[in-house]
Structures are given as C-alpha cells and as structure tokens.
Amino acid sequence: MRLGRSLRAVCAILVVACTALTVEAQPRAGLAFGRVPAGSVRPLFDAPEDGGQTAVAAFLLATRPVSNAEFLQFVRANPSWQRSRIPAIASDAQYLRHWQDDLALGSADPNAPVVNVSWFAASAYAEWVGARLPLAIEWERAVALGRVRDPGTRTGAIWAWVDDFNGAITSGESRADAGPDEGLFCAAGVLRASNTTDYGAFMRYAMRGALKGRYALATLGVWLVRDVAPTTVP
Amino acid sequence: MRNDITHAMNRIMSHTMQFVHTAAYRCRGALVVCAAATVMFAATTLAQSAAPLPSTSVYAIAGTWTERSGATQTLASLRGEPVVLALVYLSCSMTCPLLTSDMLAVQASLRAAGPSNARFVMITFDPSRDSLPALQAHASSRGLDAQWSLLRGSPADVRRIAVALGISYRRLPSGDFDHSNVITVLDRDGVVVHQEIRMPMNRERLTAAVKTAGGRGGR
C-alpha cells in the first residue's frame, strides 16, 4: 500500500533528522572560548538610572569570529537559511553574496570571518551551535579589555552583530541632545553621551542605530559568546 | 515543507479518485460521490491556506507564544485576517496604556463600519513580570474581548519579533523598558502594510489600513 510505505519513510526520515540535529547542536570543534571576567563598563549613552557604570557579568568570548566554513556547515544542515531560500524578512539581497552559490564558497576563504549575514542569520547560527550573540555592553567590555579587534583601530577587522543592536534609544545627533523624542519613544530620563571623545564607541553606537535586522554587510560578522554557567532565561 | 503538503494533498486526492472510480462501478451511487467530493473540497481548501508565506511576512520569524488563556501558538496561526499589533508591557506608566486605547478605538471604528474579523495582538516586552494571570487581569480591566490576543514569549522571541518590526527597546536596571511607540498593521499573510511610529497615533490611518488589508468581500 503506497500510503503505508510513505508513512514509514517519513518516520524514518524524522528519526534520522532528529538524531542529526541533536548531534549537530554542539559547539564547533576548533572554536575556543576564553573567559572575560566580571567588571563594569561606562556605556557611551548613559541615563540617570544607569548611574554611570554598568556591571557586566563574566562571560565566555570566542577567540575569533565564525568562519565561512563554519557558516557553510550551518546552511547545509538548515536549508531554509541558504542564500536562494532565505525570505526577505530575514535578510536582504547582499546575503552571502561573497560565496559562489548556496553551498559553494567559490573564491571565499573558508577560514576568513563570515560576513554578509543578517542579524537573523547570525542569531540562528549562534542558537544552532548552543551559543549566543554578545550583548552590546559585553562587546564594549571586550573592546575595553582588548579582547576583540575593532575596525576603528585595526585594518581587516570586522564589526560583529550584537543581540540587542536595537536597544539604543536615541534620535538625532545625540552627543548633546536634550533627550529622546517623546513622541517616538517611551523612555526614562535623558540620554547623554558620557564621553564625547571615544570615537570608536561613538561609531559603534551610531552604526547599531542605523542597522536593521535584515541587513547583510561586508563589514559585519558573527562573534559568539556563551554564558559561564547554564542560566535559565526568565 | 510547502511542497510536501501539496504532495500529500495530491496523494490524498488521487487515492480518493481511485475510490470514487471503483465505487461508481459498484453502483454505490450518489452518496459515495458526495462523500468523495466533500473530501476533495476540504483538501483543496486546506491546500489554499497552506499556500507559501510571502517573502516579507513576519510570520516567517520563529517564535512560540503563550496566550493569556494558556494556549501556545505561533504567529502564523494569526494568518487569514488583518492584525493590529503592538509591543507593550503592563508596568508601563507612560505610553503603553495610550497604545491600547488607540487599538481599542480602531476596533470600535471598524465595528461601526460593519462586521470585522481583524485581530488585535499585544506582545509583552516583559515576560518575567507579565505573567498569564497578569495578562488576563489586564484584558479584563481594559475590556479586551475575544478578538484580542495577549502574547508572552521568551526574551529571545521578543527580540526577534521586535527586530522584524523595526521596534527598538532596552531593559533598564529598574526593570522598566525604554521602547519605541509603534502600532503595526499586518495583512492576512503577516506582511506589514502600515505602521504608526510616534505619539499621538493617527487612528484614522490605522483604521483605513486595516480596512484595505481586510478588503476581499465577505470574510
């Protein structure tokens, strides 16, 4: 009976797929993480509530960004994230444009940092390997400690997506503004730049404010972090 | 996955046709033919609602949500009617209550113009404090009826849908949230067709957008 055979085939595929997904969802071999100790950061845009310094809990930071080869493994295992299949809501036309094809790097260096990935794709990759994207404040801490290279200070470096890139509630040229537009935002208090001479930080904040989650940029890659201890996110 | 559903539907229809062919030969008559026709009608109706999502639909964004009633759902289950959507949180003392008032006013305007199946959806920024009982109490106190869904998800799910809708927000040390003021209108397939992005909201534009999105005659 044709229907019965199809049903058994579907069940067999599901069993194999579930096994494969379980096996694959492990941190990539070859990507090491180092501990960033707890400390504090002066966020560039502070509010009275923040009180100046923001505490940052310890976290594990990858020693390098995600590579083209690693991202290729991800899209091979998760076809809906391939270049020809990803919906426009999740990425723009620049997505993985430096690759030859959906599953072929072409002349792209397998070991070079993957770029041209949207925030949605970067987040999905992080979830797939059991990691996450850094918070903006974690990235600022890593920069302050010299643990990540910043394009403002070294050539060839890339910016990396942060989980809360859409968390900056500012409008206009906010170095000296009175505060966020009360029509646009429901926001507490005044946001002022705490340090108008930190050009690198200002560039990072300005860039995040200009980003949309579907943008894929040649200067924006994926740098993973993990929690120090398993946490239950409320 | 859409192709698999279509393939399965084709298989069902071909098996049904075989049965009808055999039944006709055995003279089981009109009763059997009616039953087969009903099955095929159901199959084609299901196939239509399983049509692929438009590439710009926010319903393609992953997330699992719990409604105030306790039922879990995906956003894709909202498919089929226009949706008016806002991200708020219950402890918000500033603009969130006003956003709810704007949505209630849109609902009233739509009903004044005729029957409307438009849905009204609130997603909370604050799942840790906005429990299901709190959402139920809020719905009662604001008079949010069965056309309203109050949804609670994980912080990661909230971040994803906010990014998809272009909504900025951040959690403050106090537990409150800074956030942009946005009301979004989605069409029947979850594509953004209009957004009001500042207070005061233009209720007429929102109502007009819902009417346009819902315009198909009948449903």
Side-chain angles (χ1 to χ4, degrees):
Chain A
M1 184 66 193
R2 262 187 285 160
L3 263 177
R5 229 189 291 161
S6 305
L7 203 56
R8 281 201 295 275
V10 166
C11 286
I13 290 167
L14 279 172
V15 168
V16 171
C18 289
T19 313
L21 282 171
T22 315
V23 167
E24 290 280 28
Q26 301 293 329
R28 296 290 97 200
L31 182 59
F33 286 74
R35 184 189 171 99
V36 177
S40 62
V41 174
R42 183 95 193 260
L44 181 67
F45 288 100
D46 60 3
E49 277 209 43
D50 291 349
Q53 296 284 331
T54 299
V56 186
F59 61 99
L60 301 176
L61 177 72
T63 52
R64 57 166 176 81
V66 172
S67 70
N68 281 311
E70 287 165 336
F71 205 81
L72 177 58
Q73 289 177 309
F74 165 67
V75 299
R76 192 172 275 136
N78 300 274
S80 62
W81 292 98
Q82 289 170 16
R83 188 169 80 182
S84 67
R85 302 195 194 197
I86 190 167
I89 190 72
S91 196
D92 65 17
Q94 307 300 310
Y95 183 58
L96 295 175
R97 68 177 191 151
H98 62 299
W99 288 11
Q100 179 183 314
D101 207 337
D102 277 6
L103 296 173
L105 297 184
S107 58
D109 180 353
N111 295 317
V114 71
V115 291
N116 295 319
V117 289
S118 66
W119 177 86
F120 292 103
S123 301
Y125 180 88
E127 193 176 319
W128 184 63
V129 300
R132 61 175 174 84
L133 300 182
L135 300 173
I137 203 71
E138 289 173 331
W139 187 259
E140 294 303 310
R141 172 105 172 110
V143 169
L145 291 175
R147 299 285 290 269
V148 292
R149 286 167 283 163
D150 182 72
T153 56
R154 266 179 84 160
T155 56
I158 54 160
W159 279 295
W161 279 107
V162 294
D163 182 64
D164 53 346
F165 76 92
N166 65 336
I169 311 293
T170 59
S171 59
E173 208 286 319
S174 296
R175 274 184 289 189
D177 270 0
D181 184 318
E182 282 179 13
L184 290 174
F185 299 112
C186 178
V190 171
L191 285 172
R192 288 182 314 272
S194 60
N195 181 354
T196 56
T197 62
D198 188 345
Y199 184 70
F202 187 75
M203 283 301 295
R204 287 190 297 276
Y205 275 84
M207 187 194 192
R208 286 178 205 134
L211 288 170
K212 296 195 190 306
R214 57 187 296 271
Y215 285 179
L217 301 177
T219 51
L220 203 47
V222 188
W223 206 305
L224 300 177
V225 305
R226 282 160 55 198
D227 293 332
V228 170
T231 53
T232 311
V233 183
Chain B
M1 187 185 165
R2 299 287 169 204
N3 285 336
D4 290 341
I5 294 172
T6 312
H7 189 65
M9 290 301 161
N10 288 338
R11 280 176 159 269
I12 291 169
M13 281 166 57
S14 79
H15 281 276
T16 309
M17 284 308 297
Q18 284 181 346
F19 179 76
V20 170
H21 191 75
T22 312
Y25 266 82
R26 293 181 187 168
C27 298
R28 297 230 178 115
L31 191 64
V32 168
V33 172
C34 280
T38 308
V39 170
M40 285 193 290
F41 174 76
T44 52
T45 308
L46 280 169
Q48 277 171 5
S49 64
L53 279 176
S55 190
T56 51
S57 171
V58 304
Y59 295 159
I61 301 298
T64 306
W65 306 93
T66 308
E67 212 278 324
R68 67 189 187 279
S69 61
T72 59
Q73 66 176 94
T74 61
L75 288 183
S77 63
L78 296 167
R79 208 174 165 185
E81 298 297 342
V83 167
V84 182
L85 169 62
L87 269 61
V88 296
Y89 68 109
L90 299 186
S91 309
C92 173
S93 55
M94 288 188 277
T95 63
C96 299
L98 300 177
L99 296 177
T100 307
S101 299
D102 288 322
M103 291 168 70
L104 281 165
V106 169
Q107 185 179 31
S109 293
L110 289 169
R111 284 177 168 163
S116 170
N117 288 325
R119 294 207 57 82
F120 293 81
V121 179
M122 282 171 44
I123 294 177
T124 178
F125 285 117
D126 193 6
S128 62
R129 293 190 300 183
D130 292 347
S131 62
L132 297 185
L135 293 175
Q136 285 167 10
H138 182 73
S140 295
S141 72
R142 292 303 308 262
L144 310 181
D145 64 19
Q147 292 299 107
W148 288 73
S149 298
L150 277 63
L151 301 180
R152 180 177 180 271
S154 71
D157 288 336
V158 176
R159 184 65 65 180
R160 257 192 298 261
I161 192 61
V163 169
L165 295 169
I167 295 171
S168 300
Y169 72 101
R170 68 170 188 155
R171 188 175 180 278
L172 299 172
S174 65
D176 283 340
F177 290 79
D178 287 347
H179 62 92
S180 33
N181 298 319
V182 179
I183 297 180
T184 305
V185 178
L186 304 174
D187 72 9
R188 296 173 183 276
D189 289 323
V191 177
V192 176
V193 292
H194 184 66
Q195 284 188 311
E196 289 291 311
I197 63 163
R198 63 162 71 238
M199 309 292 286
M201 298 280 156
N202 188 312
R203 297 173 174 181
E204 289 70 34
R205 279 203 296 252
L206 287 169
T207 304
V210 176
K211 282 179 178 169
T212 306
R216 207 172 69 185
R219 301 210 232 157

